Amino acid sequence: MSRLPGGTQTKAMKLLYAAFFVGFFMAALLPASETIPQALPPSDDDGAIPRVVNMEEFEALVSNSPFTRSLGVSDSLILTGVAHFEKDTFATLLDTKTFESHVVSKTPNFQGWQLVDVGGHTTEIETWSAKIQIPGGEVISVRYQKAPPKPARTKSGGGSGASGGNSPPLSTAQMTEAKTAAVNYKEGFNADGYPKAPPPEMVAKLSRLSTSQREDINKQMFGLRNQGLGLDERRKIYEGMVDRSLQRR
């Protein structure tokens, strides 16, 4: 057999090597391509791709938006006072629509309202706030506000309202007794929480208040009595009101 010329032989060897490497490369790629997993069927959800939003799931949020709905009971409530007695804390609330006063503490009142927490600086009444839990578990926040003027009541044989707008309507007899007891404070009155006359230390504190201050406190105490507050609770609140009035002098 005759041999190929030198140049032709070199080209043939190069083509042979090239064909060998191309074949080897394709053989190496083939197993890898066969091991690539196929895409999951569209019906399988592996969580990697977000699901299409279903607007029906948001119908409740759209129809009852938390940014536009009314908070109900808290809309008309304001905080008018906070009193601390040993381990007990009482807060007085005013419904500015009905001008009805409410007293709340850690023990639920007859409406099921319960005082959860109070905030603010003790000597800065404008910073006071209270958190109230109402039936159903919802907790509402009520801030201190000055009670608005109470609308004038038409004369219909009923009583007159208590001063300050933060007590339920009082009878004429209660208004008279509150005024009389403000002068004769040593004798006590029917809403102060004492079974008899107030003790000497309480009399000493009352003597340092003005007659108008005592009368205003007496009217508020009658309002709390009309709310159904018991003797012990009224006594604690009465003593707290007197102490706070002395601090503001």
Side-chain angles (χ1 to χ4, degrees):
M1 178 182 295
S2 60
R3 299 183 59 184
L4 295 175
T8 303
Q9 184 179 6
T10 302
K11 291 181 180 181
M13 291 298 295
K14 289 181 178 180
L15 290 175
L16 180 61
Y17 288 142
F20 173 77
F21 284 114
V22 170
F24 178 80
F25 179 73
M26 293 301 294
L29 288 180
L30 182 58
S33 62
E34 290 180 349
T35 59
I36 297 176
Q38 296 182 355
L40 292 174
S43 59
D44 294 338
D45 184 8
D46 63 354
I49 301 177
R51 298 177 58 186
V52 178
V53 177
N54 186 357
M55 293 306 297
E56 293 181 357
E57 299 178 0
F58 297 93
E59 287 183 357
L61 183 62
V62 173
S63 60
N64 190 24
S65 171
F67 302 103
T68 59
R69 68 176 179 229
S70 172
L71 294 180
V73 67
S74 65
D75 290 350
S76 58
L77 288 180
I78 62 174
L79 177 66
T80 57
V82 176
H84 300 276
F85 310 103
E86 298 178 354
K87 296 182 180 180
D88 297 327
T89 301
F90 296 86
T92 54
L93 311 175
L94 175 68
D95 190 326
T96 55
K97 290 183 178 179
T98 63
F99 279 86
E100 183 179 6
S101 180
H102 306 274
V103 178
V104 291
S105 65
K106 64 180 181 180
T107 302
N109 62 8
F110 68 97
Q111 291 177 307
W113 297 0
Q114 183 178 7
L115 181 63
V116 177
D117 189 25
V118 294
H121 196 281
T122 305
T123 59
E124 297 177 4
I125 191 171
E126 294 82 4
T127 66
W128 290 0
S129 65
K131 291 184 178 180
I132 313 297
Q133 182 173 343
I134 61 178
E138 181 182 1
V139 177
I140 61 175
S141 181
V142 183
R143 298 190 64 82
Y144 172 83
Q145 292 185 40
K146 185 177 181 180
K150 189 172 183 179
R153 293 171 54 89
T154 57
K155 295 182 179 180
S156 57
S160 175
S163 67
N166 57 352
S167 297
L170 307 183
S171 66
T172 302
Q174 289 174 331
M175 293 288 290
T176 301
E177 184 176 353
K179 186 173 183 178
T180 302
V183 178
N184 304 322
Y185 58 89
K186 296 180 181 180
E187 301 176 6
F189 62 106
N190 289 328
D192 58 8
Y194 296 108
K196 297 181 179 180
E201 59 270 18
M202 190 61 179
V203 172
K205 292 180 179 180
L206 291 170
S207 66
R208 295 162 55 189
L209 299 178
S210 65
T211 302
S212 61
Q213 285 179 306
R214 292 193 293 264
E215 182 179 354
D216 183 64
I217 291 175
N218 294 350
K219 290 177 180 179
Q220 294 185 58
M221 292 306 303
F222 270 115
L224 297 178
R225 184 192 180 195
N226 292 347
Q227 285 282 333
L229 235 62
L231 198 69
D232 290 340
E233 289 181 321
R234 292 204 311 272
R235 175 179 53 80
K236 292 178 181 180
I237 293 177
Y238 180 58
E239 293 173 351
M241 288 182 175
V242 172
D243 289 339
R244 291 199 307 275
S245 297
L246 289 173
Q247 293 174 0
R248 289 195 293 265
R249 285 177 61 86

